[in-house]
Amino acid sequence: MPLLDRHGAKTEIWTRSEGAAIDNISHALVDWAALPEALAQKTRDQRIGVVIPNTVRIPQLKLLMRQLSLIAISFPSFGDGRGFSLARLIRNHGFTGTLRASGPLIADQFAYAIACGFDEVELPEASAARQPVEQWVNALGQISHGYQRGYGDSGNILDRRRSARLKHVAAG
């Protein structure tokens, strides 16, 4: 599956593991169900990543986050936004590793994914064929301000409007 970040196409360094079999894999990506066993087998030099459903609760994940280098949140469809909320919660709870959105997202969601804390997006082949990498990178620059507080670093539209109104009143 194609992988991209804010700069474009990216080379995959993670190897998906069947179950918890992580022998001789430097960057092992396991499913949520296999994570406890994989962590028990982990050697000092290995990096462990996990693919989680977008229904995982933070208390279930929080105790394991320090042991993970990558968390990939599955998106069953582009219309299911629970993964965006989960990404924000994961970042708010201190996860500093790589956060990946995995599933059939669309380019219009790329800026929001980055603002929610995702570092990269992994697309199914069919999604990548419909919207090439250049379209994703261009879409990233199309949205300069969001409506929600706490997403991105440019401030939100409502706070900017309020600030402009106060400056106008103070000047007038």
Side-chain angles (χ1 to χ4, degrees), residues 97-170:
T98 302
L99 198 52
R100 176 185 290 183
S102 181
L105 297 178
I106 58 175
D108 291 349
Q109 295 171 312
F110 197 30
Y112 187 60
I114 297 296
C116 288
F118 285 108
D119 299 296
E120 56 193 34
V121 175
E122 179 184 42
L123 298 169
E125 295 292 339
S127 296
R130 281 192 305 274
Q131 294 183 307
V133 172
E134 298 78 26
Q135 191 171 350
W136 283 80
V137 173
N138 290 338
L140 189 57
Q142 297 300 313
I143 300 174
S144 58
H145 306 295
Y147 280 99
Q148 293 116 335
R149 285 187 173 104
Y151 291 87
D153 35 337
S154 63
N156 69 63
I157 291 172
L158 299 175
D159 287 343
R160 287 173 170 264
R161 286 182 182 167
R162 182 177 296 124
S163 176
R165 191 176 322 119
L166 291 173
K167 286 179 186 176
H168 178 72
V169 170

Side-chain angles (χ1 to χ4, degrees), residues 5-6 14 23 25 27 40 51 55 57 78 84 88-89 91 101 126 140 149 156 165 169:
D5 64 12
R6 67 178 66 242
W14 293 87
D23 292 340
I25 301 175
H27 290 75
V51 179
T55 55
R57 302 271 184 220
F78 75 89
F84 296 116
R88 194 69 191 157
L89 287 170
R91 287 294 188 211
L140 189 57
R149 285 187 173 104
N156 69 63
R165 191 176 322 119
V169 170

Side-chain angles (χ1 to χ4, degrees), residues 33-55:
L35 182 61
E37 188 179 344
L39 288 173
Q41 296 177 28
K42 178 185 178 295
T43 65
R44 188 176 144 201
D45 296 332
Q46 282 182 311
R47 301 286 178 256
I48 301 292
V50 64
V51 179
I52 63 172
N54 64 3
T55 55

